[in-house]
Amino acid sequence: MMEVAGWFEELGLPPGVVNIVNGMGETAGAALVAHPGVDKIAFTGSAAVGKIIVKSAADTLNASLSSLAASLPTFSSTAPIGKPPLTARSSASLSIRAKFVSAGSRILVEKKIYSKFVDAMTEKAKRIKLGAPLERETKMGPLVSKEQYDRVSSYLELGKKEAKVAIGGGPPRKQFGKGFYVEPTIFYDVDNNARISAKRSLALSLL
C-alpha cells in the first residue's frame, strides 16, 4: 500500500487528499473509528471485529460500512466447460493479488458436469503464477502475515482430512525470498457439514 501511495504525487494528486495511517486495529483503527472528524468507516474482516466497529462508531454517529467474512457459494450448471463462466469463477476465487471478501470460495456444481468441472478448474489453477504482488505477471501473491499463513495452513490440513484435494494444499514447490505463500488449492467432494465448508478461512483456496 505504501508503494501505491508513492504514485499519488506522480499522478498530480494534491497533498492531503489521500492519507495512509499505519498501525494495529486496536490502536490506530480504534482511534479512527472513534474520532468525531471521521465521517465514514469502511471495514473488511471478521464479523467479531465488525461488531466492535459498529458499536464504537455509534458513539459519534459515524456511518460504517462492513464487508464481513462469509462462506457463500456460487452455482454452476451445465454451461459449456471452458467458456467464460469457468474463467470468471477461477479468476475470482484463486487469481487474487489483494484479498476480497466477495471472492467466492465455494462452488456448487451440477452432478452431470461435476468431474469435468473439477478437472477444468484444476488445469486453470496449475497455470496461476505465484510471485511478488507488484510484478505484472503475478496472478497470486503472498498472504499478509505469518499469523494468517498459520491460520490458512491449519485449514488446509483440515481440508485434507475432510475432503479430497485436486491441487495444492500446502506451500509452493518454488521457494520465494520472502513472503508467506501457499499454493492455489482446490478441494472437492466436500460435505456441506464439513468445517471447511461452513467456516470461511480467508484462504486462497476453493471448495
Side-chain angles (χ1 to χ4, degrees):
M1 191 63 212
M2 297 306 297
E3 181 71 21
V4 174
W7 300 340
F8 295 146
E9 185 176 354
E10 297 179 22
L11 294 172
L13 206 63
V17 173
V18 176
N19 297 284
I20 298 176
V21 179
N22 291 311
M24 302 299 291
E26 57 267 28
T27 52
L32 284 171
V33 171
H35 198 287
V38 177
D39 294 326
K40 186 173 184 178
I41 295 292
F43 168 75
T44 297
S46 69
V49 177
K51 291 178 181 178
I52 295 173
I53 288 175
V54 170
K55 290 178 181 178
S56 180
D59 291 336
T60 55
L61 297 179
N62 287 343
S64 62
L65 174 65
S66 298
S67 179
L68 307 179
S71 186
L72 301 176
T74 55
F75 177 76
S76 186
S77 60
T78 52
I81 299 299
K83 296 297 183 181
L86 173 63
T87 302
R89 285 182 177 86
S90 61
S91 297
S93 301
L94 292 171
S95 299
I96 306 172
R97 297 185 191 183
K99 182 63 190 175
F100 292 95
V101 170
S102 60
S105 62
R106 288 198 296 150
I107 301 177
L108 302 179
V109 184
E110 194 172 348
K111 283 185 178 180
K112 65 177 66 176
I113 63 166
Y114 185 79
S115 60
K116 290 183 177 180
F117 191 95
V118 172
D119 290 344
M121 287 290 288
T122 300
E123 288 303 312
K124 292 285 292 183
K126 288 178 181 178
R127 295 195 291 271
I128 294 174
K129 179 177 173 56
L130 275 69
L134 294 179
E135 293 181 1
R136 186 175 295 275
E137 297 78 15
T138 295
K139 296 300 180 183
M140 183 169 141
L143 295 168
V144 69
S145 66
K146 177 66 163 58
E147 180 182 3
Q148 183 64 11
Y149 175 82
D150 290 341
R151 176 183 171 86
V152 168
S153 296
S154 70
Y155 275 98
L156 293 178
E157 291 305 312
L158 179 62
K160 294 174 186 178
K161 298 175 183 178
E162 294 187 330
K164 298 175 182 177
V165 182
I167 187 173
R173 294 182 180 88
K174 177 183 176 181
Q175 297 299 312
F176 296 90
K178 59 180 180 179
F180 302 101
Y181 289 85
V182 295
E183 288 185 301
T185 298
I186 297 176
F187 294 111
Y188 67 103
D189 289 356
V190 182
D191 190 277
N192 276 336
N193 294 318
R195 282 172 290 178
I196 60 169
S197 178
K199 180 73 173 178
R200 185 180 178 95
S201 66
L202 290 181
L204 300 172
S205 59
L206 186 64
L207 309 178

